[in-house]
Structures are given as C-alpha cells and as structure tokens.
Amino acid sequence: MTAADLAPQELRILVAVADEGGFSAAAGLLGTTQSAVSHAVRGVERKLGAVLFERGRFGARPTPAGERAVAHARRVLRMLQALAADVRGADTGQVAGPLRVAAFRSAALSLLPPALERLTARHPDVEVSVSVVRELGAGTAGEVARGRADLGIATLADGAPLPAGLVGDVLMEEPYALVHPAGHPEPRRLPLVDWAENCGSYTRDWWAAQEWIPAATVTAEDDGAVLAMVGSGLGMAIMPALSLAAALSCVQITDLGPLSPHRSVGYVTTPELAATGAVRALVRELRALHLRTAPPAPLWKGAGHGGVIRSVVSDTRTSE
C-alpha cells in the first residue's frame, strides 16, 4: 500500500494528533479510542515509509517528515471541502464555504475589513475566519504552507521568489514615514522606538545608510504599542503606512522624501486553492480596492496628520 491509499479519516487523525499533541487528546477530539488513533498512525507511517511522530511522556510531536505530512493532510482536507462548495455553486455561480485568512496586525486592521465587507455582501454564504499572525520567521506565508490558512496577507521581498509551493501577487507598495510627537521641533534627534516586525530585509539597505537613525532605545510588542509610545513623547519611529491608519492627533507624520523605503504587501496562497471560488473572490475584492488607474497621490501632504495610503496593483496576476 502507498500514499495513494490514504483515506480522509487517516488524514484527519494525523492533523488531530499534531494539533492536540498526543494520541489520547486526538482520540477525545475525534470521538474514538487511543488505540484506534495509534493503529491509524502506524498504518499511515507504513504507507509513507517514514516515522511521523516522536512518542514519549510529552505526548506526540511531529518529526520533520511528520510536519510535512500534516501540512499536506491539512491542504488535502481543505481541498475536499472546497470541492464540495465549488461543485454546488457550479451552475449558480454561488460562492460558499469556509475561507481562512492569515494577516499581520496592521493588514488585519486596515486592509482586510473593507475587502471582507464587499466579499460578504456579494457572497453571504462564505464563512470567513481571520487569524492575526506576527510577520516574523515564516509569518503568514508559513500559515498557508502548513495548511492552516487558505490565503495570507504577507509582506513580500522585492524581486524575491515566493516560498516554495505558493503563488501570489503584490497588492500595494506601502511607503514608510517618520512618526513623532506632534509639534516637536527636532524629531530626528529623538530616541527610536521600534518593534521586531518592522523593517524587513528589503528596507535594510536604506535603513543602514541613514546616519541619523539611532539604534532602538525602546522595543515594543507591536506597531500599536509603538504609536502609543510615540504619542506619549517617548521617541520617534519609522513606520509603514498601514501601521499609521489609526494614528492619533498627538502624533505627526512626516514624509521621508522621494527615496524613502517601502515594503510590498500582497497575498499568498497555494496553487490548488488559488482556483477555488472563495479565494478567487477575495483576491478580486482586494485588487478592486487597491487598483489605481492614475499615478498614486503623495502619501502625506505636508507634515501634519492624515493623508492617503498609496496603493498600486502589480500587472502580473497569478489568479483571478
């Protein structure tokens, strides 16, 4: 017997063991016995020719082979759900079923809500769930690759390939700006407030060339905390546009000039999910909201609070 002989229930057991951290907990979740779960896992390991879980007092932890097996299992099970939803809507054009989205914090707060509002107005039977994921390490793309999300809103490195096995596209180019306490006469002399997710590798060259930017004096948990600290007069920050959508009047936003850095924000999904109705529908709404036919307006007019987020859609589209 081979992997082609795997049954959906065996895949569900793999996912349950990985998610619950042990055979007993997985059995409780699935309404079966520990021995049945153990027997099923051994059967899958024989079919795949690899040990998928380390057993011990701690429970069961996926091996590297197990991590891959569980990721594939999640994706296969998700495609079975999508198959049913897409077949039912083939004649009517109706889009329905679950749609799992992973997004970093500022995208979840500013970028997704209007797109999801439009999506659910057009397709009320789509069941959307959003998880906020820190854009560190594998980030939102990792959630998609592991089968935990159908679509991720991710920061994409300019010119770099997407992670293996994923497809996607750029939705907007998000410029950075200087943020400081309103009315401060010399904001560039203030201490720097920063957070771990800020400034990916695609802005590092610019960042390193700015002699006026000091090392971070204060490191916060997220961009919301950074804004609060800047508003309290603790320092200045260099932040991307989405993080500034909720900036208060106590902070001032100053354009860094024509050579300011930016980060590319886009979506990632798997090739098979890119063809499903729910993912296609959300991508259409995201593109519709961020398409500009004219050159983008300046991010901020003057040095005061308020302005327009600059947004551009790439001409290269991997899915419709």
Side-chain angles (χ1 to χ4, degrees):
M1 300 182 73
T2 66
D5 300 306
L6 289 173
Q9 182 60 14
E10 291 176 304
L11 302 182
R12 293 187 187 96
I13 289 172
L14 290 186
V15 172
V17 172
D19 288 347
E20 299 298 315
F23 292 175
S24 295
L29 178 69
L30 297 171
T32 185
T33 64
Q34 179 179 347
S35 61
V37 169
S38 179
H39 177 76
V41 170
R42 287 197 301 271
V44 174
E45 290 177 327
R46 284 195 299 271
K47 292 176 184 179
L48 296 179
V51 175
L52 303 182
F53 294 96
E54 295 177 356
R55 286 83 157 170
R57 293 180 181 178
F58 51 79
R61 295 174 182 167
T63 62
E67 292 281 2
R68 291 196 175 191
V70 170
H72 282 294
R74 288 194 184 101
R75 289 164 64 166
V76 170
L77 291 170
R78 180 65 187 92
M79 285 308 300
L80 291 175
Q81 286 182 314
L83 183 154
D86 283 3
V87 167
R88 284 194 295 267
D91 293 332
T92 63
Q94 180 184 19
V95 178
L99 176 60
R100 305 166 303 162
V101 182
F104 56 93
R105 180 183 177 276
S106 58
L109 292 176
S110 304
L111 187 63
L112 272 179
L116 294 178
E117 182 180 11
R118 289 167 57 101
L119 174 71
T120 54
R122 295 176 190 270
H123 306 290
D125 292 327
V126 174
E127 304 161 7
V128 180
S129 62
V130 177
S131 58
V132 177
V133 177
R134 300 195 74 187
E135 195 68 333
L136 295 171
T140 58
E143 293 296 288
V144 176
R146 288 192 289 267
R148 297 183 180 275
D150 304 326
L151 181 142
I153 303 298
T155 55
L156 307 176
D158 291 346
L162 292 170
L166 300 183
V167 297
D169 202 2
V170 173
L171 292 168
M172 61 181 290
E173 302 292 348
E174 184 186 16
Y176 281 74
L178 174 65
V179 191
H180 53 89
H184 196 283
E186 295 185 280
R188 294 190 177 207
R189 294 185 177 274
L190 289 168
L192 178 68
V193 184
D194 205 0
W195 80 105
E197 290 172 89
N198 195 20
C199 189
S201 59
Y202 30 87
T203 63
R204 289 295 179 193
D205 290 344
W206 180 91
W207 197 279
Q210 309 305 307
E211 295 182 357
W212 62 274
I213 302 178
T217 302
V218 180
T219 301
E221 177 67 19
D222 57 39
D223 50 355
V226 170
L227 275 177
M229 291 180 180
V230 171
S232 297
L234 295 178
M236 58 87 174
I238 299 169
M239 304 180 73
L242 285 177
S243 294
L244 299 173
L248 302 175
S249 57
C250 57
V251 304
Q252 188 169 331
I253 303 168
T254 302
D255 194 337
L256 286 168
L259 299 180
S260 64
H262 72 278
R263 67 178 181 182
S264 299
V265 177
Y267 72 91
V268 294
T269 186
T270 64
E272 60 270 20
L273 284 167
T276 61
V279 169
R280 287 160 58 96
L282 179 55
V283 170
R284 280 196 297 268
E285 300 303 344
L286 286 166
R287 284 178 170 150
L289 284 171
H290 297 283
L291 179 63
R292 297 290 184 269
T293 56
L299 176 61
W300 293 285
K301 297 177 180 179
H305 169 65
V308 179
I309 291 179
R310 187 167 62 196
S311 175
V312 179
V313 173
S314 170
D315 291 333
T316 303
R317 302 183 176 188
T318 56
S319 66
E320 292 296 336

